[in-house]
Amino acid sequence: AKNLAIAHFGETSLPYSLVCFNLARIKAVQGIYKEAVPWIQKSLFIRSKVIGKQNNHYASSAYILGNLYMTLGVLDSALLYSLEAKQIRDEVLGVEHQESILSNTLVGSIYALRAEFDKAEEFLLRSISLSEKKEGYKNLEYAKLLNNLGVLFKNQFNYDRAAFYFRKSLDIRFEIGGENNKEYATAA
């Protein structure tokens, strides 16, 4: 696909940027994060030159790059790209769009890793609020967001608040699928 895209469209085309994007995602799924980075960087660069930055295609590449950098522990770069993706998605898609909510969650997670707990809490709470408003509270994504907030408080040794959010997450998982549910069993 890579060679075909280059031959037919060139190395600075949107089809080639999509090939780069997909190769990065494949490498990431395989756990080969360092090899994924150059592919997503190519996608990001091509998209910025061909269609500009104020669109979700560019924001998706920035989001993936931020996520990869977070996984690799390059937190300054992770925060830079994740904030950029969040800002674009908020403007282009709206703050209540699922991809904007995911961007909030990623930014919150990066702040947590940087031990900037107040900022992490702010972004995670925003994700929870937006997710509840959009989808309600009886869904797995909402339960996972509550669990993330529980982890944040646990890492701050605030066990009462952590337990509160872990319990809410667990209750939702139980409500969705009962005690024989995989999501409930792995969270319990």
Side-chain angles (χ1 to χ4, degrees):
K2 179 182 93 168
N3 293 336
L4 192 59
I6 292 171
H8 288 287
F9 304 106
E11 288 190 51
T12 57
S13 66
L14 284 179
Y16 182 63
S17 78
L18 181 60
V19 169
C20 295
F21 182 85
N22 288 332
L23 283 170
R25 291 182 63 198
I26 290 167
K27 297 286 185 188
V29 167
Q30 294 173 332
I32 313 170
Y33 305 113
K34 286 184 180 179
E35 289 184 25
V37 169
W39 289 110
I40 203 67
Q41 287 173 327
K42 282 182 189 180
S43 174
L44 189 73
F45 177 77
I46 293 167
R47 288 173 176 188
S48 73
K49 295 300 177 198
V50 176
I51 56 174
K53 294 183 176 183
Q54 287 304 114
N55 60 76
N56 194 43
H57 296 289
Y58 177 87
S60 294
S61 292
Y63 175 87
I64 297 290
L65 186 55
N67 206 336
L68 287 168
Y69 279 138
M70 179 185 74
T71 303
L72 292 168
V74 186
L75 299 181
D76 289 342
S77 295
L79 186 60
L80 176 77
Y81 287 104
S82 299
L83 282 169
E84 182 179 28
K86 180 202 165 321
Q87 177 266 324
I88 293 167
R89 285 175 165 177
D90 285 354
E91 288 178 15
V92 172
L93 303 173
V95 295
E96 293 181 9
H97 191 280
Q98 184 60 34
E99 291 188 30
S100 293
I101 295 169
L102 289 172
S103 290
N104 269 307
T105 305
L106 179 60
V107 171
S109 299
I110 295 165
Y111 276 128
L113 290 171
R114 291 168 52 107
E116 295 181 51
F117 299 122
D118 289 342
K119 289 181 180 177
E121 182 180 353
E122 172 190 335
F123 280 92
L124 292 175
L125 283 171
R126 184 177 304 135
S127 291
I128 289 168
S129 174
L130 291 169
S131 179
E132 183 176 0
K133 184 177 179 182
K134 182 173 175 52
E135 302 290 333
Y137 72 92
K138 286 187 182 181
N139 66 74
L140 187 55
E141 290 307 312
Y142 183 74
K144 288 179 180 180
L145 290 170
L146 293 173
N147 194 73
N148 289 348
L149 195 55
V151 170
L152 176 69
F153 289 126
K154 179 182 163 218
N155 290 341
Q156 295 176 71
F157 307 106
N158 189 337
Y159 298 117
D160 290 339
R161 285 186 82 186
F164 173 78
Y165 286 103
F166 286 146
R167 177 76 193 127
K168 280 181 75 169
S169 175
L170 197 59
D171 289 346
I172 291 168
R173 291 168 196 246
F174 179 80
E175 212 172 312
I176 292 171
E179 65 184 23
N180 294 322
N181 169 356
K182 174 187 143 200
E183 292 296 332
Y184 178 77
T186 57

